[in-house]
Each structure stands twice: as C-alpha cells, then as structure tokens.
Amino acid sequence: MAKEIEQRLEKTALIPVLRARSAEEAHALVEAMVAGGVDVLEVTMTVPGAVEILKDLKKSYGDKILLGSGTVTTVAECEATIDAGAEFVVSPSLHLDVMTATQKAGKVSIPGALTPTEVITAWRAGAAYVKVFPCSALGGPSYLKALKAPFPDIRLIPTGGVTLTTAADFLHNGASALGVGTDLVNPTAIAKGTPETITETARRYLQVIAQARVPAAS
C-alpha cells in the first residue's frame, strides 16, 4: 500500500500545499489545479475544517487525487486525517510519534527537517521522504545539493521557496518531489475570479518537471 503511494508521489513529483481561509476557497483552488493536471494534494491542518475538507475531496474526486494532510504535529491529527482519506502525512517538523502512527496505518510518512542531524534522524526513524523546510532560508537548491552529498540515498522534498523559476534547479539538485505553496495554490486568483491562472500555472509546473527528467544528451 505505502509503496504504491510512494510511486504515485514520485511519478507526479508535485505536491501543492493547500492553505485556504474557507472550505469554499479550498474547493475552488482544488478545482482549478485539477483542471491543470494536478493529481496529488496536501491539505494543511491550518485550513479551517481541514478534516471535513479532506472527506469532501475524497468523496468528490475518489482516486483521481492522491490526498495527504499537512502541518500535522499530533497523533490525534494524524489519525483523524487518515480516517478522512489522507494517504500521506506531512509535518513541518520532526514528530516521531506521528511517524509511528502513520506507518502503523500503512500510509506514507513525510516529516519535516532542516539540519543534517534532523534529516538523518527522520530517515533512520523510517521516513519515506524528508521534507526540507524552510529550504529557501538556507539557500534553496544549493542547500538541497549540499544535503544530498552526504545523504545520496535519502529522498528529499524541498518546501519553501519552490517556484516556477526554481523548480528545475531543485529537481536537478536531487529533489524527489516538490512541495509548492502560493506560487501555485494562489488564493488571490480565486478572489479575483481568475482561477484559470492557477490552472495554467499547474500545467507549467508539470511541464517543468517533465523537462527536468529528460536525460541530458551525451
């Protein structure tokens, strides 16, 4: 089960991080992203009614979207979001009890870390991936490259500072997937009545990812 989730995460390599001020805004953002080809989504616990939104999205989209929960820092949050349909659980920091609960449920654990010590601690505790957050604060792609030097086998997902401009650099420097915030999940576009800009941005992200994976000519 967990392996299938991992395969889908890496195939898409794009994890939009949903932060919204209401359920209505959340659903509008998701609809716009799905129209652009998005099939993986992280709903953060900072969204009002996050667990109910996860349930609604699961009901609306079924297996069309691989749902995850984000900003999860307690076992109670972890279990509630998994019950609501989350297949992967993301934290901004390292919580071994949340990791254990996620693994026990057969889901994919993606704890947050920043320093080399935190990264290796998370990996040895059984993380499927390690979210490097806030990656931009320590140099973005160059910091990811520095982490991959001693830890080539650890699968890293940078979050914080990932944009259309930096996405390819993150991938070329070892990112297994990209955690993307407001550069894609843009509430302002919904407020302005221009969801098509989100749809187009989603398409462009997927194009950047596809191009970054094309082997360089020898």
Side-chain angles (χ1 to χ4, degrees):
M1 180 69 174
K3 279 294 174 192
E4 293 172 6
I5 299 168
E6 291 172 24
Q7 287 168 1
R8 189 164 173 188
L9 277 170
E10 289 202 41
K11 181 180 178 184
T12 299
L14 178 68
I15 306 176
V17 181
L18 180 68
R19 298 186 189 279
R21 292 161 291 194
S22 67
E24 293 77 17
E25 185 176 80
H27 283 285
L29 284 163
V30 174
E31 187 176 337
M33 289 189 288
V34 169
V38 164
D39 65 354
V40 176
L41 181 70
E42 174 190 330
V43 179
T44 67
M45 294 303 294
T46 57
V47 178
V51 172
E52 288 304 315
I53 288 170
L54 273 167
K55 289 179 182 175
D56 290 344
L57 291 172
K58 187 67 177 177
K59 192 181 299 181
S60 298
Y61 293 97
D63 292 334
K64 187 176 180 181
I65 300 180
L66 181 70
L67 290 170
S69 54
T71 323
V72 175
T73 58
T74 68
V75 171
E77 290 174 342
C78 173
E79 292 174 344
T81 57
I82 288 173
D83 287 345
E87 302 289 348
F88 60 96
V89 176
V90 186
S91 298
S93 38
L94 182 56
H95 303 275
L96 298 179
D97 55 348
V98 171
M99 291 180 63
T100 299
T102 304
Q103 292 158 350
K104 187 177 179 181
K107 305 304 181 183
V108 169
S109 176
I110 310 177
L114 187 59
T115 68
T117 299
E118 291 168 349
V119 169
I120 193 66
T121 301
W123 188 250
R124 286 179 174 167
Y129 303 88
V130 180
K131 168 182 174 176
V132 182
F133 173 80
C135 196
S136 59
L138 291 183
S142 63
Y143 183 60
L144 199 74
K145 182 179 180 180
L147 285 175
K148 289 293 282 189
F151 304 137
D153 297 327
I154 297 182
R155 296 183 290 183
L156 303 176
I157 299 178
T159 306
V162 179
T163 66
L164 278 170
T165 304
T166 62
D169 281 343
F170 275 114
L171 291 165
H172 291 315
N173 283 296
S176 292
L178 304 171
V180 183
T182 53
D183 191 57
L184 169 58
V185 194
N186 182 2
T188 303
I190 299 300
K192 288 182 176 178
T194 56
E196 65 275 6
T197 61
I198 297 172
T199 301
E200 178 57 27
T201 301
R203 290 195 185 106
R204 289 177 64 193
Y205 265 104
L206 294 173
Q207 288 167 359
V208 169
I209 291 166
Q211 289 167 359
R213 287 176 161 174
V214 175
S218 57

